[in-house]
Amino acid sequence: MPAKKKPSDKPLTGADLIKEVSRRIRAARSLWDAHRNAACRGERTKALALYETLSDAEKEKIPQELRVWLRYRSEKYFGDGRTPPK
């Protein structure tokens, strides 16, 4: 069994934050492709919260494919106009 990671006391900044946002978006995409919608929703929420903390210059460093997916899924499937999950 692998060792457990210690939670970091310092908030992520710079390149580490960009890397974490990209990782979370990719994780949400893989969960979406596996039809695990509830897990995808949670991962997407975490990714979106971190994404909102980025500056405009840092947002440009996130691959465009990931930014488009996050925006598209956020509006179409998880927006206010959708029926909330049970």
Side-chain angles (χ1 to χ4, degrees):
M1 182 186 260
K4 292 186 178 182
K5 294 182 181 179
K6 292 182 183 178
S8 177
D9 294 339
K10 298 185 301 183
L12 296 174
T13 57
D16 290 335
L17 181 58
I18 293 168
K19 191 174 182 180
E20 180 65 12
V21 170
S22 297
R23 185 191 70 78
R24 288 203 178 268
I25 296 172
R26 285 187 182 101
R29 284 178 60 189
S30 67
L31 291 169
W32 178 263
D33 291 340
H35 303 285
R36 295 184 57 206
N37 296 341
C40 174
R41 181 181 295 270
E43 198 63 39
R44 185 202 62 88
T45 302
K46 293 172 190 172
L48 197 56
L50 287 174
Y51 182 78
E52 294 298 324
T53 64
L54 295 173
S55 67
D56 289 338
E58 290 174 325
K59 286 179 182 178
E60 290 296 320
K61 293 180 182 177
I62 303 287
Q64 184 177 6
E65 181 181 347
L66 298 180
R67 285 184 281 145
V68 168
W69 187 90
L70 183 64
R71 187 171 52 245
Y72 174 74
R73 294 292 179 228
S74 297
E75 293 171 1
K76 182 167 179 153
Y77 292 100
F78 300 109
D80 293 332
R82 298 298 293 179
T83 304
K86 293 181 181 180

